[in-house]
Amino acid sequence: MVSFFKLKLITSEKYHLWNDALHARQIARETMDDWNKGTYVRWTVTTSWTVLEMCCREALDEPKIGYRFKEDMDGAITKKGLNSIDWGSGKWQNVIDLREVRKKYTHVNIPQKELWPDLEIADDAIKVVREAVIDIFQIANMPVPKWIYDDESQGWK
């Protein structure tokens, strides 16, 4: 059987990682094995979060955004004299919620049943990160990277 892949021109490390997150989500959609699905959902969450942090660092010209994400973001935004983020509702509240999911997967000894997350968590991670990346570049008055609109990956095929 011959397989034809849709080629992408990936020219930045952020796009490379974004494509990894999309690929992980697609594999999570395709696998029939719950163990593998959990792995790929968690991979989607952690990789998409990395993309978000990298984009926030770039947009706000602040290399230290990371561990204390909310506080680091607020400080960088204040330093640049930009409009503050509303963390209590909308897309940025969703970012905080995603951060908690990511922290569970990377820093906390979570109950084993939570290692098999629903596919919706991967879908939400992509959606939340995409919306936040678009927003932070707009807040910073910078062009939004076109690759953030990419929503496809080949998966296993």
Side-chain angles (χ1 to χ4, degrees):
M1 174 171 32
V2 177
S3 177
F4 295 96
F5 292 93
K6 180 179 176 184
L7 295 177
K8 296 179 184 185
L9 181 59
I10 297 177
T11 58
S12 75
E13 63 183 354
K14 287 181 270 321
Y15 189 14
H16 188 108
L17 288 173
W18 183 246
N19 194 62
D20 286 353
L22 296 174
H23 182 70
R25 180 187 62 174
Q26 185 59 33
I27 294 172
R29 289 173 172 170
E30 293 176 11
T31 188
M32 297 300 200
D33 181 274
D34 285 341
W35 184 279
N36 286 335
K37 182 178 78 169
T39 299
Y40 298 129
V41 169
R42 293 189 309 274
W43 177 21
T44 304
V45 169
T46 58
T47 305
S48 62
W49 183 266
T50 301
V51 171
L52 175 59
E53 285 186 358
M54 292 170 73
C55 287
C56 290
R57 290 178 195 137
E58 178 183 342
L60 298 174
D61 193 27
E62 178 52 67
K64 295 183 180 179
I65 293 172
Y67 181 71
R68 294 174 30 147
F69 183 77
K70 182 178 173 291
E71 294 82 3
D72 294 343
M73 289 285 290
D74 286 341
I77 286 170
T78 299
K79 185 173 154 183
K80 291 190 79 67
L82 301 171
N83 292 331
S84 61
I85 288 175
D86 177 5
W87 297 101
S89 65
K91 66 187 76 153
W92 291 100
Q93 175 62 56
N94 294 339
V95 166
I96 295 302
D97 294 345
L98 178 62
R99 180 174 182 255
E100 292 306 309
V101 171
R102 180 207 151 260
K103 278 176 38 180
K104 283 196 310 187
Y105 294 156
T106 57
H107 298 294
V108 179
N109 187 12
I110 62 174
Q112 192 156 359
K113 67 180 179 172
E114 291 186 43
L115 294 175
W116 289 278
D118 291 329
L119 182 57
E120 291 78 31
I121 292 175
D123 289 331
D124 287 346
I126 295 295
K127 178 180 181 278
V128 166
V129 169
R130 177 180 290 118
E131 289 176 354
V133 166
I134 291 167
D135 198 43
I136 199 60
F137 278 98
Q138 290 173 341
I139 288 169
N141 297 310
M142 294 180 65
V144 175
K146 292 186 184 338
W147 54 261
I148 197 65
Y149 298 102
D150 186 357
D151 197 43
E152 295 181 19
S153 175
Q154 291 296 126
W156 293 109
K157 299 172 187 155

